[in-house]
Amino acid sequence: MHFIAGVVAAVVFFLPMPHKAVAQDVTYKWDAGGATGLSGYLGDYSQSNPFVRPGFRISLSGSYILDSRWSFRTMAGVSSISGTSNGIGGGLPPDAPTGFRSILGDLTLRAEFNFFAYGEGETFKRLSRWTPYIAAGAGVVVASPQGASVNVAPLMPLALGVKFRLRPRLNLSGEFSMAKSFTDGLDGNSDLYGIAGCWLKNTDWVSTLTIGITYEFGERCLACHYFD
């Protein structure tokens, strides 16, 4: 966490502050950035607390900013998950592995909705420098469990977070997400209890808790009578 705070402080310190009029007269169509934090898992080895054995999460993303409420984000990330049989109620089958480790890669596209009109300038729009938001979308996850074959499956992410405008064009966010995978094999142990899964049940979930930073670019033409 000290590393994350240092990165954010360095970016804020070295980024030049634009003239006040610029913040009022210019809006942007795109943003790009990254996030880091913790990852967790719900599945055969962790059925109640996804962060009982936290892993790492790193991601890069870019979005098209439709307006002060909506944006559409593409995100690519890497996470680690792990689990053990310790503390699992009911026990595991006698021949089941006692634990697992897995590296996940994911690529998702999602829509984000801001509860408040987010941004700066354009005072007639009553823009806010902070807002809670929700996000949902679809994607794909690739799991590489230790000692097992690679597993590829669809992914459905859901997220809840808060974003804050540090200064014009620079945004800080905190986010919690849950992503449903359409497989029981992220941990390399599909159908561990002998119960066949389907896309609705007996599948693994991935959770993340992250802090992110994004920078906006691509000036939007405010004099035009349409959005670029």
Side-chain angles (χ1 to χ4, degrees):
M1 296 302 292
H2 292 292
F3 172 76
I4 299 172
V7 171
V8 172
V11 172
V12 173
F13 181 80
F14 287 107
L15 189 69
M17 176 68 77
H19 190 271
K20 184 177 181 180
V22 174
Q24 295 176 341
D25 297 336
V26 179
T27 60
Y28 298 89
K29 295 181 290 185
W30 309 94
D31 75 24
T36 186
L38 304 178
S39 62
Y41 143 93
L42 286 177
D44 293 327
Y45 287 90
S46 179
Q47 299 174 2
S48 59
N49 180 4
F51 297 108
V52 66
R53 291 179 61 88
F56 71 88
R57 168 69 174 177
I58 300 174
S59 65
L60 297 175
S61 70
S63 74
Y64 173 70
I65 304 169
L66 181 64
D67 55 31
S68 60
R69 295 278 188 171
W70 288 97
S71 60
F72 300 92
R73 183 171 304 277
T74 300
M75 181 178 294
V78 177
S79 308
S80 68
I81 58 174
S82 63
T84 69
S85 57
N86 295 334
I88 298 179
L92 294 172
D95 59 345
T98 57
F100 80 96
R101 291 183 180 275
S102 185
I103 300 296
L104 311 179
D106 61 83
L107 179 65
T108 58
L109 175 64
R110 71 187 199 184
E112 296 180 1
F113 174 74
N114 300 324
F115 287 94
F116 306 152
Y118 182 66
E120 285 187 280
E122 299 179 286
T123 54
F124 67 95
K125 291 185 178 180
R126 299 181 183 274
L127 300 180
S128 173
R129 291 186 61 191
W130 76 279
T131 181
Y133 68 91
I134 56 174
V140 63
V141 60
V142 180
S144 180
Q146 189 175 32
S149 59
V150 172
N151 194 325
V152 181
L155 193 69
M156 185 177 70
L158 306 169
L160 174 67
V162 177
K163 63 181 68 171
F164 175 73
R165 182 66 61 96
L166 289 173
R167 57 174 59 190
R169 305 174 68 177
L170 189 65
N171 308 287
L172 181 69
S173 64
E175 180 180 289
F176 170 74
S177 74
M178 291 283 291
K180 175 181 174 62
S181 72
F182 292 87
T183 179
D184 187 35
L186 297 186
D187 51 18
N189 297 284
S190 181
D191 304 330
L192 192 59
Y193 292 91
I195 302 173
C198 70
W199 71 277
L200 280 176
K201 63 180 181 178
N202 198 33
T203 61
D204 296 331
W205 289 73
V206 181
S207 299
T208 64
L209 186 61
T210 58
I211 295 175
I213 194 164
T214 60
Y215 185 73
E216 297 177 4
F217 60 96
E219 292 186 13
R220 191 184 299 279
C221 176
L222 296 182
C224 302
H225 298 287
Y226 59 90
F227 284 117
D228 295 335

